[in-house]
Amino acid sequence: MEISSHQFHLLEQLNEQRRQDLFCDCNILVEGKVFKAHRNVLFASSGYFKMLLSQNSKETSQPTTASFQAFSPDTFTVILDFVYSGKLSLTGQNVIEVMSAASYLQMTDVISVCKTFIKSSLDISEKEKDRYFSLSDKDVNSNGVDRSCVYSAGWRAESSSPPSHLSPDQGTCMMGGNAWNNLSYYPPSQRTAQQQLSKHEQRQDSGKRSRHLGPQQPADIPPYKSSKLEDRAAEPAGHSAQPEEQGQIEAEVESSHVGYQYGQGADVTPRNQQERESPHSSGKAKSSKGEEPYRSMPFIMGVMGSWAEDDLPRMRFKCPFCTHLVKRKADLKRHLRCHTGERPYPCEACGKRFSRLDHLSSHFRTIHQACNPICRKCKRHVTELTGQVVQEGTRRYRLCNECLAEAGIDSVRVDLVAEAPLEFPPDGNKDSQWHYGEDNRSDVEIVEDGSGDLVIQQVDDSEDEVEEKEVKPNIR
DNA sequence: CTGGGGAAGGGGCCC
DNA sequence: GGGGCCCCTTCCCCA
């Protein structure tokens, strides 16, 4: 007979012990703040601690001390609370840093949930937004506690007793049990999202922000974490330097009577968040069942109407993850992909994935089609008489006869199979989105098997015109 | 080490 | 709202 609530009570007891500093044998120092915890619990929860504590397993008599500069105490509070409660207090403000810290600590479950959280933010709902605006005035939390989104670990689904501390009046939205198992997030082994995210952050930061750079990470840190995220996470808690631009934007947002921010954490407040919090920011999240996980998510929508109503607002939507403003919701949706790393458009020829269809088509034209009647080497115009198409793997380009001779490609091999023009994949294969690292190159490998050889084709401009005509309908 | 070129990717905006 | 074009910046590779 299995008592379903046992796990919950056990963890609850451990959490209580942690609070009372009972039997804590591990000290974690995060930017000067000390967290006490049990090494058993940390070992079981984090790949990083597993590795760390394994090395120190012989010295169990001495308390283990770990020190981190890669993330803030607030972020680690979220992580540690999750470890001891199974609940992850994610907000739009902290999800990036929590994911970053989780990747550092090799907590794949947390990473997955963060990805799901971010992905869900793409589910932009005007309806939700309208609902919020219509309810925001009367539904503002009376006790001043902002809403947050609390994710619960899977095992809690088996617990019959709801969490006592998650009272509805706290404005928490519960994504209970195995709800997120129904969601499609990419496997933890895939890192593209983080890379994209970090890259974007890097660009954002490099262009707009002057950030305090934290100390360099030790060499043995997991490679999962991007340097920029480290920088971001290593930013001291008290550091609140914000560029003027961002300050202005947020001032505008906060001064608006209809502006809102979503998902402000109640217990865990990210750095700088209090500065950003507006008195209008709290709203009531929908409580929901596990069957409708997305509905329970805080809808991450740009801030609307932050500008004078009589004046047509130029920028109507604000990205919840950065300071970017756009006029159209579709542009915001497109922009959010650079935060989530979503790449729904795979290249059929090489498997590379793109966040945008136009980038894919551009890539395909550039890399896999030799549409440009220009010699790649000398840039001269080539015709079917003065040049040839060279195929190198999946790349196709043109060389004039002189450059061909210079390159020593005198033995022209014409591959009739390769001569068939590569066609742009229809519709970008959206169905395969979110399958990171899944090579979609079954067709390609046939081509690439002989990638070591250069395949020369006769230049035929008319063919290219036909090719273009054939391709375009596929693109559109 | 540096500069140039190609490719990728992001934003604005038109259709 | 999606598709696509244009422009720009950034990154990476190579000479």
Side-chain angles (χ1 to χ4, degrees):
Chain A
M1 181 178 172
E2 185 178 314
I3 301 173
S4 60
S5 60
H6 173 68
Q7 294 162 306
F8 173 68
H9 289 310
L10 183 64
L11 205 53
E12 206 172 40
Q13 280 301 310
L14 286 169
N15 200 16
E16 194 57 35
Q17 289 176 17
R18 173 175 71 110
R19 287 199 187 106
Q20 297 175 11
D21 194 9
L22 283 175
F23 311 119
C24 289
D25 49 7
C26 200
N27 298 328
I28 304 107
L29 189 64
V30 182
E31 289 185 358
K33 186 174 178 181
V34 179
F35 295 84
K36 303 258 187 185
H38 304 96
R39 72 172 74 195
N40 288 343
V41 177
L42 296 175
F43 187 98
S45 307
S46 155
Y48 181 91
F49 280 113
K50 185 173 282 187
M51 212 161 54
L52 182 75
L53 295 170
S54 297
Q55 293 167 356
N56 298 339
S57 59
K58 293 173 184 173
E59 305 165 11
T60 50
S61 57
Q62 296 294 322
T64 302
T65 300
S67 160
F68 296 102
Q69 296 290 328
F71 38 78
S72 71
D74 290 337
T75 302
F76 189 68
T77 302
V78 177
I79 298 280
L80 201 58
D81 283 347
F82 166 77
V83 166
Y84 274 92
S85 69
K87 291 187 294 294
L88 191 61
S89 298
L90 284 184
T91 73
Q93 310 291 332
N94 71 6
V95 63
I96 304 291
E97 287 193 28
V98 170
M99 189 163 79
S100 167
S103 64
Y104 188 96
L105 296 171
Q106 299 173 48
M107 300 172 72
T108 52
D109 287 347
V110 177
I111 295 166
S112 298
V113 172
C114 289
K115 286 175 182 171
T116 306
F117 183 93
I118 294 171
K119 182 178 180 246
S120 75
S121 70
L122 283 176
D123 190 21
I124 296 168
S125 164
E126 281 286 343
K127 190 179 172 185
E128 287 278 352
K129 182 182 65 190
D130 293 342
R131 181 180 177 276
Y132 172 80
F133 286 140
S134 64
L135 295 178
S136 57
D137 286 342
K138 53 187 175 186
D139 281 359
V140 162
N141 223 329
S142 56
N143 59 8
V145 178
D146 289 327
R147 65 185 173 136
S148 63
C149 195
V150 179
Y151 290 78
S152 172
W155 61 267
R156 287 180 59 81
E158 297 170 8
S159 171
S160 54
S161 59
S164 58
H165 56 283
L166 282 179
S167 58
D169 59 351
Q170 278 186 310
T172 54
C173 56
M174 186 76 184
M175 184 172 171
N178 293 319
W180 67 55
N181 291 342
N182 299 325
L183 305 177
S184 56
Y185 50 81
Y186 13 94
S189 59
Q190 305 301 331
R191 300 174 183 179
T192 316
Q194 279 80 12
Q195 288 166 351
Q196 287 302 313
L197 205 59
S198 62
K199 190 170 184 178
H200 180 80
E201 290 295 331
Q202 188 174 354
R203 289 188 175 187
Q204 292 282 334
D205 288 359
S206 65
K208 298 178 182 174
R209 300 179 186 183
S210 60
R211 286 195 167 273
H212 170 83
L213 296 181
Q216 211 158 5
Q217 295 304 312
D220 61 342
I221 62 167
Y224 200 95
K225 190 168 177 59
S226 75
S227 60
K228 185 49 63 176
L229 285 175
E230 286 168 16
D231 292 344
R232 184 189 176 95
E235 184 180 340
H239 185 67
S240 59
Q242 289 186 9
E244 282 185 19
E245 180 190 347
Q246 183 174 348
Q248 285 173 357
I249 290 163
E250 284 171 2
E252 284 173 326
V253 168
E254 287 168 12
S255 65
S256 163
H257 63 284
V258 289
Y260 76 96
Q261 295 181 351
Y262 79 98
Q264 304 288 0
D267 299 317
V268 182
T269 306
R271 286 169 294 164
N272 301 335
Q273 181 175 317
Q274 280 136 339
E275 300 158 32
R276 297 178 190 148
E277 279 178 0
S278 139
H280 316 288
S281 65
S282 56
K284 195 164 227 170
K286 267 188 184 175
S287 62
S288 72
K289 306 283 183 185
E291 290 80 16
E292 296 177 295
Y294 283 145
R295 289 176 184 270
S296 71
M297 296 286 196
F299 52 101
I300 299 178
M301 183 60 215
V303 178
M304 258 194 87
S306 300
W307 290 263
E309 287 176 1
D310 49 347
D311 200 15
L312 195 65
R314 278 197 68 240
M315 296 296 191
R316 296 174 61 235
F317 298 93
K318 179 182 181 301
C319 173
F321 297 115
C322 68
T323 61
H324 184 59
L325 299 164
V326 292
K327 288 180 183 174
R328 302 168 61 226
K329 196 168 78 173
D331 284 339
L332 178 62
K333 190 175 180 180
R334 185 180 73 171
H335 165 78
L336 283 173
R337 284 206 190 115
C338 76
H339 290 294
T340 63
E342 183 190 13
R343 289 164 177 269
Y345 305 105
C347 175
E348 291 290 327
C350 66
K352 186 172 170 59
R353 305 183 76 94
F354 295 86
S355 60
R356 283 161 49 171
L357 188 57
D358 56 328
H359 286 166
L360 170 60
S361 56
S362 170
H363 156 85
F364 196 82
R365 277 193 301 267
T366 308
I367 303 299
H368 306 300
Q369 289 180 332
C371 297
N372 192 2
I374 303 291
C375 174
R376 194 182 186 186
K377 202 168 180 183
C378 65
K379 311 300 176 191
R380 283 185 299 184
H381 187 272
V382 290
T383 66
E384 58 191 68
L385 294 175
T386 61
Q388 291 176 330
V389 172
V390 176
Q391 177 151 345
E392 192 177 359
T394 57
R395 290 198 177 200
R396 298 170 124 212
Y397 51 89
R398 292 170 194 246
L399 289 179
C400 67
N401 291 332
E402 286 87 353
C403 292
L404 273 172
E406 268 184 40
I409 309 170
D410 45 8
S411 59
V412 173
R413 198 189 105 189
V414 177
D415 190 332
L416 293 177
V417 176
E419 211 164 1
L422 288 171
E423 290 194 13
F424 191 80
D427 204 25
N429 193 13
K430 288 184 184 180
D431 289 341
S432 59
Q433 60 182 321
W434 296 100
H435 297 283
Y436 282 75
E438 183 181 296
D439 272 343
N440 227 342
R441 46 206 314 181
S442 55
D443 295 334
V444 185
E445 282 167 356
I446 299 170
V447 177
E448 287 188 333
D449 281 342
S451 61
D453 302 323
L454 283 180
V455 179
I456 313 296
Q457 296 176 270
Q458 294 295 325
V459 173
D460 184 356
D461 289 337
S462 61
E463 179 201 46
D464 285 334
E465 285 172 12
V466 172
E467 198 172 300
E468 290 255 352
K469 283 173 190 170
E470 285 175 356
V471 166
K472 284 220 165 184
N474 286 334
I475 296 173
R476 289 190 182 261

